[in-house]
Amino acid sequence: MNLPELAAFLKSRRDRIRPADVGLPTGPRRRVPGLRREEVAQLAGLSADYYTELERGRGAQPSAQVVTALARALRLNGDERDHLFHLAARPVPPAAHGPSAHVQPALLGLLDRLTTTPAQVITDLHEILVQNELAAALVGRPQTVRGPAASFAYRWFTDPAARALYPPDDHPHHSRVFVADLQAVAARRDRDTEVARMVAALRRRSAEFAALWDTHDVALRRTDHKRIVHPALGVIELDCHSLFSEDGRQRLLWFTAPPGTEGAAQLELLGVIGTQDMAASENASREGTSANAD
């Protein structure tokens, strides 16, 4: 592990990012050309002390998960991401797809600017890669699982609890949409083993999926009207839009509601509730840390 080079590279990447690029206010007293250390730490989900030690060329070797988080926070392209892994003595970068995939910088840049509406980046197999706080408040945070179960489309047909997100009357619609979308993805990937394994597993485990798959309906999900069941706000009617990466393997999803509708009012409330929940979680985390420190 090359600590001095790792430290220099992290600082150089931090210096080039403007706060506005990641949805942060510039402020009148900013003395550094790019982001502050604590801002990078916040974006990566790390403690400020830990990140500071890395930039000072000290501290423990970062895990692959930490390197992935730093690559996202610093908006690294593919080559820079790989370089960061090598400097951290993690020579095997994450897979090109799946929950640990490197988020396309263009989609991540757009996500940073969507601060007033729920938005998230997912893979073409419906695995959440990164989301803003409003999306987390709306649909929940991604499960920390690997393999097919990381896909919401897979869980839709194998885990009844996944369907609680939508009203029961809407379940047939979403089943058809998931299967038609997966048909299109399978064709685009062309004999991809990951998709083939998922389809085979779903055919074994779900008679509903198998019947829908055999209809051969094909349609990428670009837009959709959804009713989402929220535990505090009830049913929220929203429009879901998708923007695809150049290779089609990642999608930026964002949720909107027409001005003046009940859905628009609920989205405003969601921003308040989401902020309160986040603050409560942070306080609980701090209290837990203090208690464990004894």
Side-chain angles (χ1 to χ4, degrees), residues 5-289:
E5 285 295 322
L6 175 65
F9 185 66
L10 289 173
K11 185 179 185 307
S12 71
R13 300 305 89 183
R14 174 170 64 85
D15 288 346
R16 72 175 181 173
I17 301 177
R18 296 172 302 175
D21 293 338
V22 293
L24 294 173
T26 302
R29 297 183 179 180
R30 185 170 291 273
R31 298 179 181 178
V32 294
L35 298 180
R36 300 185 178 100
R37 288 171 174 169
E38 58 268 25
E39 290 170 337
V40 174
Q42 178 184 357
L43 291 169
L46 307 173
S47 73
D49 289 342
Y50 177 77
Y51 179 75
T52 298
E53 287 297 292
L54 285 179
E55 266 206 23
R56 288 176 176 171
R58 300 195 291 265
Q61 179 187 23
S63 67
Q65 290 78 11
V66 167
V67 177
T68 298
L70 287 171
R72 290 178 180 176
L74 294 168
R75 297 345 185 216
L76 303 186
N77 62 34
D79 292 333
E80 291 170 330
R81 183 269 321 264
D82 291 350
H83 184 61
L84 183 63
F85 267 83
H86 288 304
L87 291 177
R90 302 290 181 186
V92 181
H97 45 78
S100 60
H102 183 61
V103 183
Q104 297 289 335
L107 297 185
L108 199 53
L110 288 172
L111 178 67
D112 291 332
R113 287 163 173 76
L114 294 173
T115 58
T116 60
T117 192
Q120 57 190 18
V121 178
I122 68 171
T123 70
D124 55 355
L125 296 182
H126 300 271
E127 302 150 325
I128 295 176
L129 298 177
V130 63
Q131 60 185 178
N132 63 17
E133 291 300 329
L134 281 175
L138 178 66
V139 301
R141 298 194 183 277
Q143 296 188 5
T144 55
V145 294
R146 295 186 177 275
S151 163
F152 183 70
Y154 182 87
R155 296 198 306 276
W156 179 261
F157 291 100
T158 60
D159 180 4
R163 300 199 172 199
L165 186 65
Y166 301 119
D169 289 347
D170 298 350
H171 290 180
H173 165 75
H174 290 295
S175 293
R176 291 191 299 271
V177 168
F178 277 131
V179 174
D181 186 81
L182 187 56
Q183 283 272 17
V185 170
R188 282 189 169 196
R189 289 206 187 184
D190 189 21
R191 296 186 294 274
D192 181 272
T193 56
E194 181 187 24
V195 179
R197 285 196 298 266
M198 178 177 290
V199 170
L202 285 171
R203 288 181 67 89
R204 289 193 305 269
R205 298 191 59 180
S206 171
E208 179 191 20
F209 176 88
L212 288 171
W213 187 262
D214 289 340
T215 66
H216 299 284
D217 290 339
V218 180
L220 284 172
R221 186 173 67 178
R222 294 181 173 86
T223 62
D224 201 359
H225 185 76
K226 295 185 174 185
R227 297 192 302 160
I228 295 177
V229 179
H230 189 271
L233 299 176
V235 177
I236 309 175
E237 290 202 33
L238 299 170
D239 294 315
C240 178
H241 312 274
S242 299
L243 177 66
F244 292 72
S245 63
E246 187 175 354
D247 63 4
R249 294 224 173 177
Q250 294 182 12
R251 308 171 185 183
L252 172 64
L253 303 184
W254 70 100
F255 301 85
T256 62
T261 63
E262 183 179 2
Q266 288 171 304
L267 280 184
E268 291 186 12
L269 285 174
L270 183 71
V272 176
I273 292 173
T275 302
Q276 291 174 343
D277 288 347
M278 183 171 62
S281 297
E282 290 175 351
N283 288 336
S285 176
R286 283 195 293 267
E287 290 173 2
T289 301

